[in-house]
Amino acid sequence: MRIDAVLRDARRRLTSSPSAALDAELLLCHVLAKTRTWLFTWSDRELDANQLAAFEVLLARREAGEPVAHLTGEREFFGRPFRVTADTLIPRPDTETLIDVALTLPLPAQAKVVDLGTGSGAIGVTLALENPDWQVTLVDLSNAALQVAQSNARQFSAKVQCLQGSWLSFCEGRFDLIVSNPPYIDAADHHLDEGDVRFEPRSALVAENHGLADLSEIVRQASGKLVDGGWLMLEHGFEQGEAVRALLGEAGFHDVRTELDLGGNDRVTLGRIALTSS
Ligand code: GLN
């Protein structure tokens, strides 16, 4: 069977996916170990029985709802293919907003940076690669997640330090920048029963107090772990901008602002701490 016909059939079968065409292409790329450009260039090539059988296995699992990132073992983030397992969140395009904003901050050349709840390491590893002189620490409570983060750091030769622990509790010294994409979804949110999130670790998604419990704990800990003028930057839900700005304001942060994600929703709130008043 030809590649274009295989993809057409697969698209028809993946009706429950919001990205059926892309899903089919990524799964076939994975089976053939080729790029999407290659697929389109050679769309009239015939697949052999082994290739078709391997594709069929992945397609059936995708039809049953498994995330493409779990089936291929990777997801692209900020232009790099991050390894992903069921132990971590799958990196989201919305989180690239956090990277874009972090890269514009006025920070020292050798900034001390920490990524809390790093998961696959997408945020911290990307920051370390974009600014090789930054000293980046990756923190996660889950040892399994930290191993994924470490393997991503290794595959891209990013210089990072990994630390197991709850938010900042084992971090020594003070940071120029603290970033986090913590759990922020309310346990009753119906999105948790739909799509890829069903296969992601709950502990990385759900927080108490309407999804604000971990965000507020991080804000509380961060004010004592930043240098004078240091920044805290948090990803949050699209309806949590006001609440997170209030948390930062109450904790003494200034220059507090919220940045929008690619869909135009409140997604990242940041602020700066002043230890000495001028
Ligand atoms: N943005 C993710 C979602 O909506 C949630 C990520 C998180 O909880 N940190 O599925």
Side-chain angles (χ1 to χ4, degrees), residues 96-107:
E96 294 182 349
T97 300
L98 193 149
I99 305 289
D100 288 333
V101 178
L103 296 180
T104 66
L105 294 178
L107 289 166

Side-chain angles (χ1 to χ4, degrees), residues 89 92 181-185 197 200 204-206 235 267:
L89 275 196
R92 315 275 204 271
N181 174 17
Y184 54 69
I185 301 178
V197 288
E200 294 179 299
L205 291 164
V206 173
E235 179 173 324
R267 185 61 62 191

Side-chain angles (χ1 to χ4, degrees), residues 51-267:
Q51 291 167 330
L52 284 171
F55 183 60
E56 174 55 34
V57 170
L58 296 182
L59 194 60
R61 287 173 65 182
R62 180 63 188 139
E63 265 186 298
E66 275 189 73
V68 172
H70 287 177
L71 299 173
T72 63
E74 65 180 40
R75 168 58 45 92
E76 188 152 305
F77 182 78
F78 217 75
R80 298 183 184 94
F82 276 77
R83 286 188 192 128
V84 172
T85 71
D87 294 312
T88 72
L89 275 196
I90 301 166
R92 315 275 204 271
D94 287 340
T95 304
E96 294 182 349
T97 300
L98 193 149
I99 305 289
D100 288 333
V101 178
L103 296 180
T104 66
L105 294 178
L107 289 166
Q110 302 194 343
K112 261 192 88 184
V113 177
V114 63
D115 174 14
L116 304 176
T118 192
S120 67
I123 296 174
V125 169
T126 300
L127 292 177
L129 291 169
E130 296 297 317
N131 285 284
D133 289 335
W134 285 7
Q135 300 167 49
V136 179
T137 304
L138 311 179
V139 174
D140 209 290
L141 190 57
S142 153
N143 183 44
L146 264 191
Q147 286 183 18
V148 178
Q150 207 148 26
S151 95
N152 277 316
R154 219 176 295 123
Q155 72 153 327
F156 302 125
S157 304
K159 263 196 302 114
V160 297
Q161 198 199 333
C162 292
L163 192 64
Q164 190 176 1
S166 173
W167 310 130
L168 288 155
S169 44
F170 294 118
C171 290
E172 282 171 12
R174 289 177 181 270
F175 295 91
D176 298 290
L177 171 64
I178 296 173
V179 295
S180 184
N181 174 17
Y184 54 69
I185 301 178
D186 186 283
D189 192 318
H190 64 91
H191 287 110
L192 294 166
D193 304 320
E194 298 164 9
D196 287 3
V197 288
R198 292 170 299 164
F199 295 84
E200 294 179 299
R202 281 244 153 183
S203 59
L205 291 164
V206 173
E208 293 187 11
N209 186 23
H210 309 292
L212 290 169
D214 291 302
L215 286 161
S216 56
E217 178 60 20
I218 292 170
V219 173
R220 196 184 64 74
Q221 292 187 17
S223 48
K225 288 283 190 180
L226 284 165
V227 301
D228 200 3
W231 297 86
L232 171 63
M233 184 181 294
L234 297 167
E235 179 173 324
H236 52 72
F238 72 102
E239 293 170 321
Q240 293 170 329
E242 197 180 330
V244 177
R245 286 194 297 278
L247 286 171
L248 264 72
E250 286 155 20
F253 284 83
H254 59 95
D255 293 348
V256 174
R257 67 176 202 264
T258 299
E259 299 280 345
L260 308 181
D261 63 22
L262 301 166
N265 295 310
D266 280 2
R267 185 61 62 191

